């Protein structure tokens, strides 16, 4: 849900701080539009880089432990648009998030194959789409009613909850491995 809520909010957030745009804090889509495609492309490249970093991460730690770091890094990157308004500062934070997302894709695929039996994987994933969709709808609705800072606070909280749940999975999996 956090990632989808981010996707809905990154453009208006950057449009509020675009260099050469209107007053800071006022969305200026006209000034932002010429560079929007380049920024989107950079985000897609960061997802690819994240996928490559995931492969390197597995060489130095477990997928469970590395995923804890990913979720905390994602949460930290979402604190930036709350605390800072500078275009480039926020853009770097967004690129960091997209890098985490790229690594997250490999991480989730690895853990899905490890913890979910093949015969039940599709069913289990479909069941979990219900709460995911609730979070997505919540995030979308929040975008209509809350400030950008409040929305990024919610996104940060969701990533922190994910980090704590991942930490719990890491502890359980490490205990099971010792038995």
């Amino acid at each position: 849900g956090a990632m989808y809520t981010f996707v809905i909010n990154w453009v208006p957030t950057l449009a509020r701080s675009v260099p050469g745009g209107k007053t800071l804090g006022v969305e200026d889509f006209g000034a932002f539009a010429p560079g929007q495609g380049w920024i989107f492309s950079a985000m897609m490249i960061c997802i690819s880089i994240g996928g490559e970093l995931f492969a390197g991460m597995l060489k130095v730690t477990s997928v469970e432990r590395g995923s804890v770091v990913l979720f905390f890094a994602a949460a930290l990157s979402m604190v930036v648009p709350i605390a800072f308004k500078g275009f480039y500062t926020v853009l770097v934070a967004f690129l960091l998030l997209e890098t985490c997302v790229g690594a997250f894709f490999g991480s989730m695929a690895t853990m899905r194959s490890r913890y979910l039996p093949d015969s039940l994987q599709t069913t289990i994933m479909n069941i979990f789409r219900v709460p995911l969709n609730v979070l997505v709808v919540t995030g979308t609705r929040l975008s209509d009613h809350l400030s950008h800072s409040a929305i990024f606070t919610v996104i940060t909280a969701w990533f922190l909850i994910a980090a704590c749940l991942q930490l719990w999975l890491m502890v359980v999996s490490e205990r099971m491995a010792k038995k």
Side-chain angles (χ1 to χ4, degrees), residues 12-156:
T13 300
L14 288 178
R16 288 173 178 254
S17 61
V18 65
K22 296 177 185 173
T23 308
L24 186 65
V26 177
E27 293 171 351
D28 188 352
F29 294 107
F32 181 62
Q36 185 175 351
W38 289 103
I39 292 170
F40 179 76
S41 296
M43 289 180 169
M44 297 303 101
I45 290 169
C46 286
I47 288 175
S48 296
I49 291 169
E52 291 299 317
L53 291 175
F54 167 73
M57 178 186 82
L58 288 182
K59 294 177 182 175
V60 296
T61 191
S62 69
V63 66
E64 293 85 2
R65 189 173 292 270
S67 295
V68 171
V69 173
L70 286 175
F71 284 122
F72 277 120
L76 181 63
S77 72
M78 292 294 93
V79 169
V80 172
I82 299 167
F84 301 96
K85 301 302 176 209
F87 180 83
Y88 294 106
T89 305
V90 174
L91 176 60
V92 168
F94 287 177
L95 294 174
L96 172 62
L97 175 69
E98 292 292 336
T99 304
C100 291
V101 167
F104 165 81
F105 289 149
S107 169
M108 290 302 108
T110 302
M111 287 191 284
R112 210 173 21 245
S113 68
R114 183 175 293 168
Y115 295 111
L116 302 179
D118 287 340
S119 62
L120 298 174
Q121 198 173 93
T122 304
T123 303
I124 293 169
M125 292 305 296
N126 283 331
I127 290 169
F128 278 97
R129 289 191 203 297
V130 173
L132 170 63
N133 286 334
V134 168
L135 289 174
V136 171
V137 169
T138 300
T140 303
R141 297 299 297 159
L142 290 177
S143 300
D144 294 337
H145 302 290
L146 298 178
S147 69
H148 285 273
S149 292
I151 292 165
F152 283 102
T153 301
V154 170
I155 294 170
T156 301

Side-chain angles (χ1 to χ4, degrees), residues 62 64-65 115 166-179:
S62 69
E64 293 85 2
R65 189 173 292 270
Y115 295 111
Q166 184 63 42
L167 184 63
W168 173 77
L169 177 63
M170 181 194 79
V171 169
V172 169
S173 69
E174 288 176 356
R175 283 185 187 157
M176 297 295 283
K178 290 179 183 178
K179 287 185 178 182

